[in-house]
Amino acid sequence: MEDHKKKAQVSKRFEGKVAIVTASTQGIGFGIALRLGLEGASLVISSRKQKNVDDAVEKLKGEGIEVFGLVCHVSNKEHRKNLIEKAIEKYGRLDVVVSNAAANPSVDSILEMKEPVLDKLWDINVKASILLLQDAAPHMKNGSSVVIISSIAGYKPDPPLSMYSVTKTALFGLTKALAAEMAPDTRVNCVAPGFVPTNFASFLTNNDDIRKDFEEKTMLNRLGTTEDMAAATAFLASDDASYITGETVVVAGGMQSRL
């Protein structure tokens, strides 16, 4: 059987194109940036910490990818504006925006969650995508693409991730609404990852029993990889998906999401 972790043979679907990926120095975001870069995109990556940005830029340049990085707290208006402005200043165009940033600051129940925590969840997980695209949209021309990263949890908001999951549910609706607003020049789609063992999902990497339970809930008997999520995102962002907009693709190994 072919190893699912085997490095994908990539085409060059993004040659001559410029892509911004938020929260892209680790985990799924870095995987997406790497895939787009290997397919020829000039990349603008970002993270909250300068060291993470520097480390990621070095790794990507080591793969022969054209890239520069910026510190960007997506809930910060000036940081978002700077991210777009610097991308246009350096590359003169913007073809792909991948909104990947997310936060999960609490596992409290919804009825016990404090208002500042609620604000942070909605600000980063939902509002930041809207506000980033308000800045980016004027620069996105015919054939451009947006991919919003949600979660399979958005289909089934269970404790202890209920409120986080509800923000991810909102992204499904946001994708539909933005697809209508940004058509016909810009397509907007969504990826709903299953469970991927990253630093963000440390409960999967730190507890063998939990990991095994999630693996058994999939049809493929394994968790997802950052490469799996990157491949789906690259497809939706590429011209191969030129007649797909307003859709959510679940990438979860057959884990139950919807009929």
Side-chain angles (χ1 to χ4, degrees):
M1 176 188 282
E2 185 178 357
D3 185 350
H4 68 270
K5 292 184 178 179
K6 185 178 179 181
K7 191 171 184 178
Q9 297 298 311
V10 297
S11 59
K12 293 292 182 180
R13 294 179 291 188
F14 297 97
E15 276 192 331
K17 295 189 176 184
V18 176
I20 289 176
V21 186
T22 63
S24 45
T25 61
Q26 297 177 357
I28 290 173
F30 179 80
I32 292 168
L34 175 61
R35 179 63 183 256
L36 295 179
L38 289 174
E39 290 206 34
S42 296
L43 292 177
V44 182
I45 66 167
S46 66
S47 173
R48 293 174 300 156
K49 297 179 180 179
Q50 186 67 56
K51 183 181 186 307
N52 290 350
V53 171
D54 293 341
D55 290 347
V57 166
E58 184 178 353
K59 290 175 186 175
L60 292 167
K61 284 186 174 179
E63 296 285 344
I65 293 168
E66 168 62 35
V67 57
F68 84 101
L70 296 167
V71 168
C72 180
H73 294 251
V74 293
S75 59
N76 183 303
K77 178 179 180 179
E78 294 307 316
H79 284 199
R80 291 191 306 267
K81 184 179 179 182
N82 187 54
L83 185 68
I84 303 300
E85 287 182 349
K86 286 293 193 293
I88 298 301
E89 183 181 304
K90 184 169 179 64
Y91 295 120
R93 60 185 295 160
L94 180 55
D95 302 282
V96 176
V97 173
V98 180
S99 183
N100 173 63
N104 183 33
S106 173
V107 294
D108 289 342
S109 68
I110 292 173
L111 295 180
E112 294 177 346
M113 194 166 284
K114 304 301 183 187
E115 186 171 357
V117 179
L118 284 169
D119 288 343
K120 183 173 182 178
L121 275 164
W122 286 95
D123 283 350
I124 294 176
N125 294 3
V126 182
K127 279 177 60 180
S129 290
I130 299 168
L131 296 171
L132 179 70
L133 290 172
Q134 286 180 356
D135 290 337
H139 304 284
M140 302 186 77
K141 308 302 182 185
N142 185 35
S144 57
S145 179
V146 172
V147 182
I148 295 171
I149 308 301
S150 180
S151 171
I152 193 174
Y155 288 106
K156 197 170 184 291
D158 289 331
L161 300 175
S162 297
M163 196 68 244
Y164 167 85
S165 300
V166 171
T167 65
K168 293 299 187 175
T169 307
L171 294 180
F172 302 150
L174 180 62
T175 297
K176 292 281 189 187
L178 287 174
E181 285 198 19
M182 299 183 78
D185 290 341
T186 303
R187 297 180 300 104
V188 183
N189 290 293
C190 180
V191 171
F195 292 91
V196 181
T198 63
N199 289 338
F200 188 79
S202 58
F203 65 95
L204 289 173
T205 57
N206 296 339
N207 188 308
D208 290 339
D209 291 335
I210 292 176
R211 182 182 180 122
K212 187 171 184 294
D213 180 58
F214 276 99
E215 287 173 344
E216 290 173 351
K217 289 178 179 177
T218 73
M219 294 179 184
L220 301 182
N221 296 320
R222 69 172 178 88
L223 298 180
T225 67
T226 58
E227 292 85 0
D228 294 326
M229 308 309 139
T233 303
F235 165 69
L236 288 174
S238 78
D239 290 341
D240 285 340
S242 63
Y243 201 53
I244 301 174
T245 194
E247 299 296 341
T248 295
V249 174
V250 178
V251 189
M255 183 176 284
Q256 184 177 356
S257 58
R258 58 188 176 185
L259 187 62

